[in-house]
Amino acid sequence: MKIVTQADRGFEPALKKASLRGRTAGASVEKVARTILQAVERGGDRAIIRYTKQFDGVVLKADDLRITPEDIKNAYFRIRKDEGDALRFAARRITAFHERQRVKTWMYQDGDATLGQLVTPMDAVGIYVPGGKAVYPSSVLMCAIPAKVAGVRRIVMVTPPQKNGINPYLLVAADIAGVTEIYRVGGVQALAALAYGTQTIERVDKIVGPGNIYVATAKRLLYGTVGIDMIAGPSELLVVADEQANPAHVAADLLCEAEHDEDAQVFLVTTSERMAKDVSQAIEHQLRGLQRGKIASKAIARHAIAFVVPTMEEALEVANRIAAEHVTLSVDNPFDYLEKIRHAGALFLGRYTPPSVADYIAGPNHVLPTGGSARFFSPLSVTDYVKVSNLVYYTKQELAKVKDPLLRLASIEGFDAHAKSAQSRLS
């Protein structure tokens, strides 16, 4: 693990590089994504089937795209009872948290006028669940349950087909979470189907969920045709550790995110150079026993950096500049520092809050902003699945009260039809 102290010449360049780490797709990636999107928009199911064969090596017919109730029923027989119980336990915790995020319609009186906001759920949302190097039933729960809590009637899940069938944990998680439709389609072609609709897959209003750089690029290109949650990149974790932190715990937390994929970004910010060295050694030791050790090892070698600063205030400012997806405060009295953390997707507080507890069963959502976008994006929540419409009601008497400033503003902007629309009601 690379270690830089504030006195090193390389400290500021390393911090700047970490702060500007957000992935941007090259022209070649965007060209491929755009080509696939246009092909599916024109060709529908035929294009999906062609790309599924090309990219996933799976031959499907249009009738094979949708997962059947029988498929879901059979999935329960392919997992253990305790595994199903764990998914249901997580679902209950996630539901309990997100029910507290509900937003309601509200109105108030301003004279004889009634003003307010009408909150309505979206009609249909699409959830993208990646395949590839790992299986993420927890992400199915995190994406679908807030939609269900929000009142979305149609929750559509898409996931890349596998030669031996869709992973049963994904199907069980989808069933528990209230997903209403599941399709065997992944990649850019899946997002195109959700955005434009095909003969088999009806279009949705919003697409959520993580994916590779092609999926992320497609989401960006589709924004405006559909809503999106955020442009997600590789997993990230930043640990702020004082001198009393346990190096073994810090190392384990960093590896917890590094094992996601080779591009995962992990950072340590500490006031102790000794702590940085001890954590680096602990990482080397713990890597030897990891099932995904090769992946984690590459992530550590490519991206992991320990920043050593003199004070905790400076450590927190480094954390704010990096604006990581996950931030752990491995310090005494972590609540004392909350107001000084301005940018973080999720905060894990104290010595005994491992990232994994939040990834699975704590309840808060683990679909979080990455690449520094915690400066302006928030975690996935119930509010991502509702729309707000402004409400305005005026009586004739109240309209008369505000006539003069209304007409003056319309005159300033040169819109006399605006003025006449009010005058016609008062003449």
Side-chain angles (χ1 to χ4, degrees):
M1 186 179 191
K2 182 179 179 181
I3 299 173
V4 291
T5 67
Q6 200 172 58
D8 295 336
R9 290 177 59 185
F11 182 90
E12 185 59 32
L15 180 53
K16 184 176 181 180
K17 182 179 179 182
S19 303
L20 299 174
R21 68 196 177 281
R23 281 196 314 178
T24 54
S28 61
V29 172
E30 184 168 320
K31 182 179 179 181
V32 170
R34 197 181 296 276
T35 297
I36 297 171
L37 292 175
Q38 292 172 346
V40 174
E41 183 180 15
R42 292 192 303 265
D45 286 349
R46 286 182 300 163
I48 286 178
I49 290 167
R50 184 173 75 252
Y51 285 122
T52 298
K53 181 180 179 181
Q54 178 180 342
F55 296 125
D56 301 308
V58 177
V59 178
L60 298 173
K61 301 189 296 291
D63 292 343
D64 300 325
L65 290 175
R66 185 164 181 172
I67 295 292
T68 67
E70 191 67 22
D71 294 326
I72 297 171
K73 181 179 177 181
N74 290 336
Y76 279 92
F77 294 105
R78 296 172 60 194
I79 70 170
R80 298 198 311 266
K81 180 182 180 300
D82 61 333
E83 294 170 333
D85 290 342
L87 287 169
R88 279 184 282 270
F89 177 81
R92 289 194 296 272
R93 299 295 299 267
I94 296 165
T95 300
F97 179 86
H98 288 84
E99 282 178 339
R100 288 167 171 79
Q101 293 181 332
R102 281 197 178 110
V103 288
K104 298 180 179 179
T105 295
W106 54 266
M107 289 176 276
Y108 71 97
Q109 295 298 125
D110 184 2
D112 287 336
T114 301
L115 309 172
Q117 290 186 340
L118 174 67
V119 179
T120 55
M122 294 180 182
D123 289 339
V125 298
I127 296 170
Y128 186 85
V129 180
K133 298 171 183 175
V135 177
Y136 297 106
S138 59
S139 291
V140 176
L141 301 179
M142 294 288 183
C143 290
I145 288 174
K148 185 177 180 182
V149 170
V152 177
R153 290 177 295 177
R154 181 169 168 257
I155 305 173
V156 183
M157 185 177 103
V158 292
T159 190
Q162 309 296 323
K163 292 181 180 178
N164 57 349
I166 300 297
N167 185 282
Y169 297 109
L170 298 182
L171 297 181
V172 171
D175 189 52
I176 290 171
V179 172
T180 56
E181 300 168 31
I182 307 172
Y183 296 94
R184 296 179 177 91
V185 56
V188 175
Q189 60 270 27
L191 271 65
L194 292 173
Y196 300 126
T198 73
Q199 294 85 349
T200 299
I201 303 173
E202 188 179 344
R203 66 175 299 190
V204 300
D205 302 314
K206 189 169 189 174
I207 299 172
V208 305
N212 63 23
I213 194 166
Y214 289 93
V215 168
T217 301
K219 285 174 74 174
R220 178 171 57 82
L221 294 172
L222 288 168
Y223 179 63
T225 301
V226 289
I228 62 171
D229 52 347
M230 63 188 82
I231 308 296
S235 295
E236 306 169 351
L237 173 69
L238 182 148
V239 178
V240 176
D242 60 16
E243 292 86 347
Q244 286 75 47
N246 187 319
H249 295 174
V250 175
D253 288 356
L254 294 171
L255 289 171
C256 178
E257 293 305 318
E259 73 173 352
H260 275 281
D261 66 59
E262 294 90 341
D263 291 320
Q265 311 253 344
V266 294
F267 308 98
L268 169 63
V269 187
T270 179
T271 53
S272 165
E273 189 171 0
R274 179 73 263 166
M275 176 63 63
K277 292 177 180 178
D278 289 345
V279 169
S280 184
Q281 291 175 358
I283 287 173
E284 289 185 25
H285 175 72
Q286 293 180 27
L287 272 169
R288 297 174 196 146
L290 280 185
Q291 184 177 344
R292 295 169 65 85
K294 288 184 178 180
I295 292 173
S297 180
K298 289 180 180 178
I300 295 292
R302 292 176 182 176
H303 305 296
I305 303 177
F307 296 95
V308 182
V309 295
T311 67
M312 186 56 65
E313 286 70 23
E314 289 168 294
L316 297 174
E317 193 51 42
V318 168
N320 283 324
R321 283 186 62 180
I322 294 175
E325 176 188 19
H326 308 95
V327 174
T328 292
L329 297 183
S330 185
V331 298
D332 290 326
N333 305 314
F335 289 94
D336 292 346
Y337 300 106
L338 277 187
E339 291 185 0
K340 295 182 179 180
I341 293 289
R342 304 189 306 277
H343 309 305
L347 281 165
F348 309 140
L349 306 178
R351 313 286 193 195
Y352 295 96
T353 310
S356 53
V357 76
D359 279 343
Y360 295 124
I361 51 87
N365 210 288
H366 77 199
V367 179
L368 304 166
T370 62
S373 63
R375 293 178 297 113
F376 47 83
F377 273 134
S378 302
L380 190 68
S381 72
V382 168
T383 57
D384 283 291
Y385 298 99
V386 300
K387 303 172 282 87
V388 174
S389 302
N390 292 333
L391 300 176
V392 183
Y393 168 77
Y394 268 71
T395 63
K396 184 175 183 179
Q397 293 75 17
E398 192 65 27
L399 181 60
K401 291 179 186 178
V402 299
K403 180 189 69 171
D404 290 344
L406 189 161
L407 297 182
R408 288 193 188 99
L409 290 171
S411 175
I412 288 170
E413 297 191 350
F415 287 118
D416 59 339
H418 281 58
K420 290 177 181 178
S421 75
Q423 288 175 316
S424 68
R425 289 166 167 79
L426 299 171
S427 59

